[in-house]
Amino acid sequence: MASLATGTEGAAFVYLPKNRGIDLYIEKADAAQLLRWEKELAAEYENIRKRNLNLDLTRGKPSSLQLDLANGLDGILAGDYISADGTDTRNYGGLDGIQELRQLGADLLGVKPAMVLAGGNSSLGLMHQCVHFAYLFGTHEGARPWKEEGKVKFICPVPGYDRHFAICQELGIEMLNVGMRDDGPDMDEVEILIRKDPLIRGLWVVPKYSNPTGIVFSDAVVERMAALGRIASNNFRLFWDNAYAVHDLHDNPPLLANIMDYCDRFGTADSVLQFTSTSKISFAGAGVAFLAASAGNLAKFRKHLGIATIGPDKVNQLRHAKMFPDIYALKQHMKKHAEMLRPKFAAVIRCLEENFADTDLGHWQVPGGGYFVSFDARPGVASEVVRLAAAAGVKLTPAGATFPYGRDPEDKNIRLAPSLPVLDEVEKTMVVFVNCVKLASVRKQLDSLGTGG
Ligand SMILES: Cc1ncc(COP(=O)(O)O)c(C=O)c1O
């Protein structure tokens, strides 16, 4: 008899389940077959539940072993707090950050150091400030604040990063979904929206190893993004969140085109704000964040930042400069992260391939870096998968989190974040995930045939 079960029956916990070489197309199954599958999967689910698991695959955090790689930061200054230009980093001041770190940020983002501000520990914080400053005071000198322009809007490629969306939601900025493709956001859609809606003021993107789909924007997409400044309002900003600029899982990673090179050609440098940080390079809570922007944008940002702070934590910046004297040292360091992350991502992908490759139960992209695997289940199933998993002791990112307002219109996207747990836990989690996807899909199909319980 054809079976959907993953093989967790019996005493042993089978970590990497395999389908049993059978036809798993739910659309093709009749009600009797679906009912048999449901019974089998429900029994398997009960077995899993009895194991009292307590696993968590929710957030893209580095593991403690990854964090250990940067423990050398502790004490690295050995009492020498003076930066290259003679600044005593212990004292106030230096809003732009120390020169060594501005150079590092420039190399990460592919711009000149003069365009870079090295800030505190969070690029999300810099993004939050940029949005707030634009909302309250305008994007550039002489610009009207967004709050006085009417109901301003942001374009949000989906699925995307929930914390971007939360910044907009808190300010009441309306968010407009556009689809993500394998090479980046659907640029036809983006351009149409910008042309027809004069109140669009922003666009969130994660151009390399996108959160959560893991895709890297093609050169053509980057070029079209750089050109948006020619059709958008002067008060529009592209929020280019390059959080995973050097977070490659493999050697010879894909190259992201340099957006500022295109901007220089198109005369659109003011339309782009670039961000990155060392959060997933050194310490996630104690790294250094960077903003790269045109002279006008930086001057405006500095003006308002200077009201909030007298300067960033330059001691921490100097510690980072000592640990990463240049971008090559930093990239060597990232290879050690990759070694730790690769087996976990491989386990997730292997499990998805073994269970879903020849089915109509879901699809996913294989990321070459970053922190996530994005799984699209059958429409209408994601929340139930997350609910079932939680009841079996496995926390997944809430369904809908990857969409503005927490609403996935098709209820199908689930973000998997395998970095934090140890490999064994990732594998156990995937067994549960697979069972829950199958069970929820079969039940949904039974419901749609009017035969569900
Ligand atoms: C796309 C993206 N941007 C920003 C952040 C947060 O960065 P930071 O720690 O520099 O605030 C994350 C963290 O998960 C992220 O995935």
Side-chain angles (χ1 to χ4, degrees):
M1 180 180 74
S3 166
L4 271 183
T6 50
T8 56
E9 63 277 88
F13 200 106
V14 181
Y15 296 148
L16 285 179
K18 254 190 156 80
N19 276 325
R20 296 176 190 147
I22 36 142
D23 179 3
L24 295 176
Y25 283 89
I26 281 212
E27 296 287 345
K28 290 186 196 159
D30 61 18
Q33 172 70 87
L34 288 166
L35 282 167
R36 278 197 299 274
W37 280 340
E38 199 278 336
K39 205 168 154 215
E40 196 176 336
L41 287 162
E44 182 182 77
Y45 178 76
E46 273 316 300
N47 274 342
I48 290 172
R49 244 176 29 85
K50 283 188 205 137
R51 290 171 202 271
N52 292 323
L53 298 172
N54 183 13
L55 302 167
D56 189 333
L57 218 65
T58 49
R59 293 232 70 101
K61 292 182 184 175
S63 67
S64 50
L65 285 179
Q66 285 176 266
L67 296 169
D68 284 348
L69 294 171
N71 283 352
L73 281 171
D74 198 10
I76 199 168
L77 297 182
D80 180 3
Y81 294 97
I82 309 302
S83 73
D85 68 357
T87 302
D88 184 340
T89 57
R90 294 169 301 179
N91 222 327
Y92 274 139
L95 204 56
D96 286 330
I98 65 171
Q99 191 52 33
E100 297 93 309
L101 257 273
R102 294 175 74 195
Q103 179 68 56
L104 193 67
D107 292 338
L108 277 167
L109 292 169
V111 295
K112 298 213 165 62
M115 292 183 75
V116 176
L117 181 141
N121 73 329
S122 166
S123 61
L124 187 71
L126 288 174
M127 292 174 235
H128 184 264
Q129 281 174 317
C130 284
V131 173
H132 276 245
F133 293 166
Y135 190 82
L136 291 171
F137 312 116
T139 46
H140 54 276
E141 221 36 68
R144 276 179 83 190
W146 287 347
K147 73 178 167 69
E148 291 171 15
E149 291 197 288
K151 181 87 181 154
V152 299
K153 299 167 194 172
F154 264 52
I155 298 175
C156 301
V158 289
Y161 180 38
D162 54 349
R163 295 188 192 274
H164 288 162
F165 306 151
I167 292 174
C168 285
Q169 190 167 355
E170 192 179 42
L171 285 174
I173 295 174
E174 188 179 333
M175 291 177 273
L176 308 173
N177 296 2
V178 304
M180 272 297 255
R181 299 150 45 128
D182 289 351
D183 62 349
D186 182 333
M187 288 309 292
D188 289 342
E189 244 188 284
V190 168
E191 289 163 0
I192 288 169
L193 279 172
I194 288 181
R195 283 205 164 89
K196 82 165 190 227
D197 192 335
L199 281 174
I200 289 175
R201 289 291 169 272
L203 163 58
W204 290 112
V205 294
V206 183
K208 187 169 170 191
Y209 307 135
S210 240
N211 178 350
T213 64
I215 62 108
V216 180
F217 290 6
S218 69
D219 293 3
V221 164
V222 175
E223 182 173 2
R224 286 172 79 175
M225 294 228 153
L228 291 176
R230 297 202 291 206
I231 55 171
S233 149
N234 279 343
N235 301 347
F236 165 89
R237 293 293 177 269
L238 168 63
F239 286 75
W240 183 265
D241 178 2
N242 205 349
Y244 302 106
V246 287
H247 302 60
D248 311 301
L249 284 173
H250 309 286
D251 291 340
N252 304 316
L255 288 180
L256 176 69
N258 188 318
I259 188 157
M260 263 305 146
D261 287 350
Y262 285 118
C263 288
D264 288 342
R265 202 184 310 155
F266 299 145
T268 54
D270 286 337
S271 68
V272 179
L273 301 171
Q274 298 190 68
F275 305 87
T276 193
S277 78
T278 67
S279 285
K280 286 164 195 146
I281 297 172
S282 57
F283 292 156
V288 178
F290 304 95
L291 162 66
S294 69
N297 283 337
L298 263 195
K300 180 78 173 157
F301 183 74
R302 251 187 237 114
K303 178 174 164 184
H304 302 296
L305 183 70
I307 304 293
T309 178
I310 307 171
D313 179 349
K314 297 186 298 304
V315 173
N316 192 34
Q317 293 190 357
L318 189 60
R319 296 191 315 152
H320 280 75
K322 293 269 190 261
M323 176 164 274
F324 306 119
D326 55 38
I327 189 77
Y328 304 102
L330 185 144
K331 285 187 176 169
Q332 281 307 114
H333 183 85
M334 291 311 287
K335 285 185 191 293
K336 297 183 206 150
H337 280 265
E339 273 167 35
M340 293 179 178
L341 289 169
R342 256 194 318 266
K344 298 180 185 179
F345 276 81
V348 171
I349 297 301
R350 197 164 59 239
C351 192
L352 295 178
E353 275 168 5
E354 287 179 349
N355 283 282
F356 300 129
D358 298 317
T359 74
D360 57 358
L361 297 180
H363 50 90
W364 61 93
Q365 273 122 335
V366 179
Y371 266 62
F372 305 102
V373 177
S374 173
F375 182 81
D376 278 333
R378 292 171 63 81
V381 161
S383 342
E384 179 60 5
V385 171
V386 173
R387 192 196 66 77
L388 283 169
V394 171
K395 286 196 199 79
L396 299 171
T397 308
T402 51
F403 284 72
Y405 311 106
R407 279 198 303 267
D408 174 355
E410 291 187 271
D411 188 23
K412 67 177 189 184
N413 185 252
I414 300 172
R415 185 182 81 166
L416 302 170
S419 57
L420 185 66
V422 296
L423 179 60
D424 176 62
E425 288 174 351
V426 173
E427 292 175 336
K428 281 182 178 157
T429 303
M430 288 309 292
V431 171
V432 181
F433 178 73
V434 164
N435 170 270
C436 294
V437 169
K438 291 176 178 177
L439 185 55
S441 308
V442 168
R443 284 180 175 164
K444 174 92 187 160
Q445 184 69 359
L446 279 167
D447 277 349
S448 71
L449 297 179
T451 42

